[in-house]
Amino acid sequence: MKAGIIGYARSGKTTIFNAITGSHAEVGAFGSRDANVAVLKVPDVRLDRLAEIYKPKKVTFAEFQFVDIAPSDTSVQDKALSDAALRLLRNVDALVHVVRAFANENVPHPLGSIDPIRDCRLLEEELQLLDLIVIEKRLERLEKENRKDAHYQLLSRCKEHIESGASLRSLALAPHEEKELAGYGFLSQKPLLVLGNYGEESIGKTDPAGLATYAADTHNPVVDLCGAMELEVARLPEQERAAFRNELGLGEESRIRFLQAAYELLGLISFLTAGEPEVRAWTIRKGTRAVDAAGEIHSDIQRGFIRAEVIAYDDFISAGSMHKAKELGLVRLEGKDYIVKDGDIILFRFNV
Ligand SMILES: Nc1nc2c(ncn2[C@@H]2O[C@H](COP(=O)(O)OP(=O)(O)O)[C@@H](O)[C@H]2O)c(=O)[nH]1
Ligand SMILES: [Mg+2]
């Protein structure tokens, strides 16, 4: 899974990227790169516990890619997205909008004032407009070629939806229509997480900029944090961080809050595999069938799928070992269509 950070210049995107990923990308500048990319390991206490039991050679956490995209060209800083950004964003699974809610006179906002809800609205409009441009071009092509087919009708529906002021996210689509549109990578269709970047003075206040209320209306989830403080804490030696967070009232680590929100937003869960060579977590979407979950591991396992031996993590822990769990009848045999649950420990039987 991959999330792309977007937002106005100097909203704190790189600061938050560094705080969440523990990277050292240069704040306020970018050099010649198009993007900073980091891979987050998704913390999972279940894996730690399984590793104690299996003592495997390798423990592999689920991974989540986080991309900090270069700011717009300095001449067009009132736009949140540059052309280079757009190319990178087409293939992300989710967008993270860093919204500036901190005041800092030395660092002006490109629009001249701090107004988080305005920024959310304008960014949403920017995404919609970018999609509209793509749709209109395509429709024109189809008209020229005299192909007013089902695809044409579908794109026309998208166009009307955007013209009514809505994002494609809220357009009801049948599964085959979703597939038909997937190749376009429409930006206003991507799940969006709002990351409110507050100043120190807002720590401990509830929804100081009204972002949660705005987000409830648009169904975009919100995470509030204080980027500058998060970065300070992230730079401390690990053993000092928790005490500092407590003292400052910063709450749960930003990385964990971000990942939880992102998993929730994208409807993600993890299933686990455990053995002596490796204990590992795999990320899938809620509602994934066993045979497709197998495909996450290897296409051979998917193709040759026979059955899945499944035990819920909690059942395994209470039994204490796989041997005991089997004796107690806690390990189930499931077929291809079984819907995998979060925390299922699975052994796939397959034949190639
Ligand atoms: N006071 C304050 N300054 C911040 C905060 N987050 C970022 N900044 C400052 O704002 C400037 C731009 O930050 P940066 O992360 O490069 O923003 P980007 O352009 O969105 O990537 C830098 O000088 C940061 O130090 C914050 O939470 N509080
Ligand atoms: Mg930046």
Side-chain angles (χ1 to χ4, degrees):
M1 290 291 149
K2 194 167 172 183
I5 314 176
I6 55 175
Y8 288 96
R10 300 183 294 280
S11 55
K13 298 184 295 297
T14 303
T15 303
I16 286 176
F17 172 85
N18 283 339
I20 288 181
T21 64
S23 307
H24 290 264
E26 199 180 338
V27 168
F30 238 92
S32 56
R33 273 161 306 140
D34 277 342
N36 300 312
V37 182
V39 176
L40 290 174
K41 291 205 181 317
V42 181
D44 192 332
V45 288
R46 298 172 301 195
L47 276 197
D48 300 331
R49 192 70 202 281
L50 288 177
E52 282 165 23
I53 296 168
Y54 278 92
K55 307 205 175 10
K57 290 199 181 68
K58 199 168 148 200
V59 181
T60 310
F61 289 82
E63 291 184 340
F64 198 98
Q65 258 196 56
F66 204 43
V67 189
D68 174 26
I69 289 158
S72 336
D73 185 273
T74 41
S75 58
V76 289
Q77 283 206 343
D78 58 330
K79 288 274 179 288
L81 297 165
S82 66
D83 288 346
L86 287 177
R87 279 192 298 280
L88 286 161
L89 286 175
R90 292 272 173 225
N91 68 3
V92 301
D93 302 294
L95 300 173
V96 177
H97 180 197
V98 170
V99 184
R100 176 161 172 180
F102 65 88
N104 182 342
E105 274 148 32
N106 303 321
V107 186
H109 188 296
L111 301 183
S113 62
I114 307 298
D115 185 345
I117 292 178
R118 171 205 62 200
D119 290 359
C120 286
R121 292 220 168 91
L122 288 180
L123 182 100
E124 200 76 55
E125 280 172 21
E126 209 177 313
L127 298 177
Q128 291 165 9
L129 198 64
L130 288 162
D131 287 347
L132 195 57
I133 292 169
V134 174
I135 292 169
E136 284 181 336
K137 258 196 202 146
R138 186 74 195 143
L139 283 174
E140 229 171 80
R141 258 287 272 296
L142 292 171
E143 274 163 26
K144 253 192 214 147
E145 293 168 4
N146 239 329
R147 284 168 51 196
K148 296 203 173 181
D149 51 8
H151 190 63
Y152 181 90
Q153 303 304 333
L154 176 59
L155 285 175
S156 302
R157 247 172 77 210
C158 293
K159 178 169 183 263
E160 278 164 31
H161 190 74
I162 293 179
E163 282 171 344
S164 77
S167 291
L168 290 177
R169 220 175 289 126
S170 60
L171 179 64
L173 293 168
H176 73 274
E177 293 173 325
E178 294 220 11
K179 255 193 209 151
E180 250 181 78
L181 295 180
Y184 291 101
F186 287 132
L187 299 171
S188 79
Q189 197 183 13
K190 293 185 190 287
L192 182 94
L193 176 69
V194 174
L195 250 181
N197 186 14
Y198 288 89
E200 275 171 60
E201 66 288 351
S202 304
I203 293 173
K205 294 193 184 143
T206 312
D207 196 22
L211 273 180
T213 316
Y214 165 82
D217 291 343
T218 55
H219 305 286
N220 296 325
V222 189
V223 172
D224 292 339
L225 47 82
C226 175
M229 301 292 279
E230 290 291 340
L231 188 59
E232 261 182 57
V233 176
R235 294 282 187 260
L236 294 171
E238 194 167 352
Q239 62 274 21
E240 290 173 24
R241 288 182 206 157
F244 243 82
R245 301 196 71 81
N246 261 335
E247 200 173 306
L248 297 169
L250 287 178
E252 179 111 70
E253 248 183 81
S254 56
R255 182 174 48 118
I256 292 176
R257 289 168 59 211
F258 164 74
L259 284 170
Q260 275 168 353
Y263 264 59
E264 182 78 34
L265 175 69
L266 292 168
L268 301 177
I269 57 172
S270 304
F271 75 88
L272 314 166
T273 50
E276 262 154 43
E278 186 181 35
V279 161
R280 180 161 181 169
W282 305 83
T283 304
I284 51 171
R285 287 185 195 268
K286 262 178 224 163
T288 298
R289 299 183 310 148
V291 63
D292 297 322
E296 281 297 309
I297 302 178
H298 201 288
S299 55
D300 284 350
I301 307 181
Q302 181 169 33
R303 225 173 317 119
F305 184 99
I306 300 171
R307 62 172 185 270
E309 295 180 18
V310 183
I311 180 169
Y313 169 81
D314 288 336
D315 287 345
F316 173 77
I317 293 298
S318 63
S321 73
M322 206 50 94
H323 184 75
K324 186 79 193 176
K326 279 188 178 154
E327 263 180 29
L328 293 170
L330 295 171
V331 180
R332 308 175 322 261
L333 297 182
E334 302 284 2
K336 285 183 177 176
D337 291 331
Y338 168 71
I339 301 297
V340 175
K341 312 269 182 313
D342 186 46
D344 276 349
I345 302 172
I346 305 184
L347 177 66
F348 291 105
R349 297 287 180 197
F350 66 105
N351 196 343
V352 279

